[in-house]
Protein backbone atom coordinates (compact mmCIF):
# COMPACT_ATOMS: atom_id res chain seq x y z
CA UNK A 1 0.00 0.00 0.00
CA UNK A 2 1.38 3.41 -0.93
CA UNK A 3 1.85 6.09 1.72
CA UNK A 4 -1.13 8.00 0.33
CA UNK A 5 -3.43 5.03 0.72
CA UNK A 6 -2.06 4.12 4.15
CA UNK A 7 -3.79 7.07 5.81
CA UNK A 8 -7.50 6.51 6.16
CA UNK A 9 -9.66 8.09 8.83
CA UNK A 10 -11.71 5.89 11.07
CA UNK A 11 -15.38 5.56 10.09
CA UNK A 12 -16.35 7.68 13.11
CA UNK A 13 -13.85 10.41 12.17
CA UNK A 14 -15.04 10.33 8.56
CA UNK A 15 -18.66 10.61 9.66
CA UNK A 16 -17.93 13.61 11.89
CA UNK A 17 -15.87 15.35 9.20
CA UNK A 18 -18.37 14.76 6.39
CA UNK A 19 -21.31 15.95 8.50
CA UNK A 20 -19.32 19.06 9.35
CA UNK A 21 -18.48 19.62 5.66
CA UNK A 22 -22.19 19.45 4.74
CA UNK A 23 -22.90 22.04 7.44
CA UNK A 24 -20.63 24.56 5.66
CA UNK A 25 -21.38 23.98 1.97
CA UNK A 26 -24.31 23.47 -0.38
CA UNK A 27 -24.09 22.51 -4.03
CA UNK A 28 -25.95 23.99 -6.99
CA UNK A 29 -28.31 21.04 -7.31
CA UNK A 30 -29.47 21.16 -3.68
CA UNK A 31 -29.85 24.95 -3.77
CA UNK A 32 -31.80 24.83 -7.05
CA UNK A 33 -34.08 22.12 -5.70
CA UNK A 34 -34.79 24.10 -2.52
CA UNK A 35 -35.29 27.34 -4.48
CA UNK A 36 -37.55 25.73 -7.05
CA UNK A 37 -39.75 24.21 -4.32
CA UNK A 38 -40.12 27.52 -2.47
CA UNK A 39 -38.10 26.65 0.64
CA UNK A 40 -38.20 29.90 2.59
CA UNK A 41 -35.91 29.04 5.51
CA UNK A 42 -32.89 30.54 3.81
CA UNK A 43 -31.84 33.65 1.93
CA UNK A 44 -29.37 33.52 -0.95
CA UNK A 45 -26.86 36.37 -0.99
CA UNK A 46 -24.93 37.28 -4.12
CA UNK A 47 -21.87 38.92 -2.58
CA UNK A 48 -20.48 40.31 -5.86
CA UNK A 49 -20.72 43.94 -6.97
CA UNK A 50 -24.06 45.43 -8.05
CA UNK A 51 -22.76 45.58 -11.62
CA UNK A 52 -21.93 41.86 -11.72
CA UNK A 53 -25.22 40.99 -10.02
CA UNK A 54 -27.20 42.92 -12.67
CA UNK A 55 -25.46 40.98 -15.48
CA UNK A 56 -26.82 37.70 -14.12
CA UNK A 57 -27.66 36.09 -10.79
CA UNK A 58 -29.51 33.20 -9.18
CA UNK A 59 -33.28 33.80 -9.15
CA UNK A 60 -34.31 35.19 -5.77
CA UNK A 61 -30.75 36.05 -4.71
CA UNK A 62 -30.30 39.37 -2.96
CA UNK A 63 -27.27 41.46 -3.81
CA UNK A 64 -25.20 42.20 -0.70
CA UNK A 65 -21.57 42.77 -1.72
CA UNK A 66 -19.13 41.41 0.84
CA UNK A 67 -17.23 44.71 0.69
CA UNK A 68 -20.32 46.47 2.08
CA UNK A 69 -20.75 44.09 5.01
CA UNK A 70 -20.08 45.65 8.39
CA UNK A 71 -21.65 45.68 11.82
CA UNK A 72 -24.32 48.18 10.79
CA UNK A 73 -25.34 46.54 7.49
CA UNK A 74 -25.28 43.04 8.97
CA UNK A 75 -27.55 44.07 11.85
CA UNK A 76 -30.33 44.50 9.27
CA UNK A 77 -30.31 40.74 8.55
CA UNK A 78 -32.77 38.39 10.25
CA UNK A 79 -30.87 36.18 12.69
CA UNK A 80 -33.62 33.53 12.59
CA UNK A 81 -32.93 32.79 8.91
CA UNK A 82 -30.24 30.75 7.18
CA UNK A 83 -28.00 32.32 4.53
CA UNK A 84 -26.20 30.99 1.46
CA UNK A 85 -23.43 33.11 -0.04
CA UNK A 86 -22.03 32.88 -3.54
CA UNK A 87 -19.71 34.73 -5.88
CA UNK A 88 -18.31 33.98 -9.37
CA UNK A 89 -16.84 30.56 -8.66
CA UNK A 90 -13.91 28.59 -7.34
CA UNK A 91 -11.44 31.24 -8.47
CA UNK A 92 -13.13 33.82 -6.26
CA UNK A 93 -13.17 33.94 -2.48
CA UNK A 94 -15.91 36.56 -2.16
CA UNK A 95 -18.40 33.99 -0.92
CA UNK A 96 -15.94 32.95 1.79
CA UNK A 97 -15.42 36.57 2.83
CA UNK A 98 -19.18 37.14 2.90
CA UNK A 99 -19.80 33.93 4.84
CA UNK A 100 -17.11 34.92 7.33
CA UNK A 101 -18.74 38.32 7.89
CA UNK A 102 -22.13 36.67 8.45
CA UNK A 103 -20.74 34.05 10.82
CA UNK A 104 -18.88 36.69 12.81
CA UNK A 105 -22.18 38.56 13.12
CA UNK A 106 -23.77 35.46 14.65
CA UNK A 107 -25.68 34.34 11.56
CA UNK A 108 -25.98 30.80 10.18
CA UNK A 109 -24.40 30.51 6.75
CA UNK A 110 -23.26 28.10 4.03
CA UNK A 111 -21.28 28.71 0.87
CA UNK A 112 -22.44 27.62 -2.57
CA UNK A 113 -19.82 25.24 -3.95
CA UNK A 114 -18.45 26.57 -7.24
CA UNK A 115 -20.55 29.73 -7.09
CA UNK A 116 -22.23 31.05 -10.18
CA UNK A 117 -19.84 29.06 -12.41
CA UNK A 118 -21.14 25.70 -11.13
CA UNK A 119 -24.73 27.03 -11.08
CA UNK A 120 -24.42 27.83 -14.79
CA UNK A 121 -22.56 24.59 -15.52
CA UNK A 122 -25.53 22.67 -14.14
CA UNK A 123 -27.89 24.65 -16.41
CA UNK A 124 -29.90 26.28 -13.63
CA UNK A 125 -31.71 29.51 -14.52
CA UNK A 126 -30.07 32.93 -14.38
CA UNK A 127 -31.95 36.22 -14.22
CA UNK A 128 -30.69 39.70 -15.01
CA UNK A 129 -31.31 43.11 -13.53
CA UNK A 130 -30.98 44.83 -10.20
CA UNK A 131 -33.86 42.95 -8.52
CA UNK A 132 -33.87 39.39 -7.10
CA UNK A 133 -36.75 38.20 -9.34
CA UNK A 134 -38.62 34.94 -8.96
CA UNK A 135 -37.69 31.48 -10.13
CA UNK A 136 -38.70 31.27 -13.82
CA UNK A 137 -41.88 29.24 -14.15
CA UNK A 138 -40.68 27.63 -17.37
CA UNK A 139 -37.37 26.52 -15.90
CA UNK A 140 -36.89 22.81 -16.17
CA UNK A 141 -34.62 20.99 -13.82
CA UNK A 142 -32.12 18.43 -15.00
CA UNK A 143 -31.09 15.63 -12.73
CA UNK A 144 -27.46 15.86 -11.66
CA UNK A 145 -27.30 12.16 -10.93
CA UNK A 146 -26.42 12.58 -7.26
Amino acid sequence: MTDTLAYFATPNDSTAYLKMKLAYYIDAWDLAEATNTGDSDYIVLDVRSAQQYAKGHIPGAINFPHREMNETTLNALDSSRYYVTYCDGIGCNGSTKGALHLAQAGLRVKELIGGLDFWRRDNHPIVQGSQPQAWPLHAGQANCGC
Side-chain angles (χ1 to χ4, degrees):
M1 187 178 287
T2 66
D3 287 342
T4 303
L5 293 176
Y7 301 103
F8 278 89
T10 67
N12 287 340
D13 288 345
S14 290
T15 298
Y17 168 76
L18 295 170
K19 281 184 176 181
M20 189 177 306
K21 186 174 177 182
L22 289 171
Y24 297 118
Y25 301 102
I26 187 169
D27 68 10
W29 172 257
D30 288 341
L31 182 59
E33 187 174 65
T35 301
N36 193 25
T37 60
D39 185 343
S40 61
D41 289 340
Y42 67 94
I43 296 171
V44 179
L45 299 177
D46 183 319
V47 301
R48 301 173 303 148
S49 71
Q51 295 81 11
Q52 289 303 109
Y53 175 83
K55 289 179 183 179
H57 58 270
I58 293 172
I62 296 169
N63 185 223
F64 191 178
H66 70 86
R67 295 179 191 280
E68 297 176 12
M69 293 180 181
N70 58 50
E71 187 176 345
T72 302
T73 60
L74 289 167
N75 279 338
L77 297 180
D78 183 350
S79 63
S80 70
R81 304 292 294 276
Y82 299 95
Y83 294 89
V84 174
T85 61
Y86 76 90
C87 57
D88 283 332
I90 60 172
C92 175
N93 65 2
S95 64
T96 303
K97 290 176 181 179
L100 177 60
H101 288 304
L102 270 69
Q104 288 174 329
L107 301 165
R108 294 173 288 187
V109 62
K110 288 186 181 194
E111 283 185 84
L112 175 61
I113 298 170
L116 200 57
D117 286 344
F118 282 20
W119 182 267
R120 282 187 170 123
R121 181 199 69 184
D122 289 348
N123 295 313
H124 298 302
I126 299 287
V127 293
Q128 294 180 333
S130 61
Q131 298 300 313
Q133 302 184 37
W135 186 270
L137 295 177
H138 64 279
Q141 191 154 359
N143 187 336
C144 76
C146 295

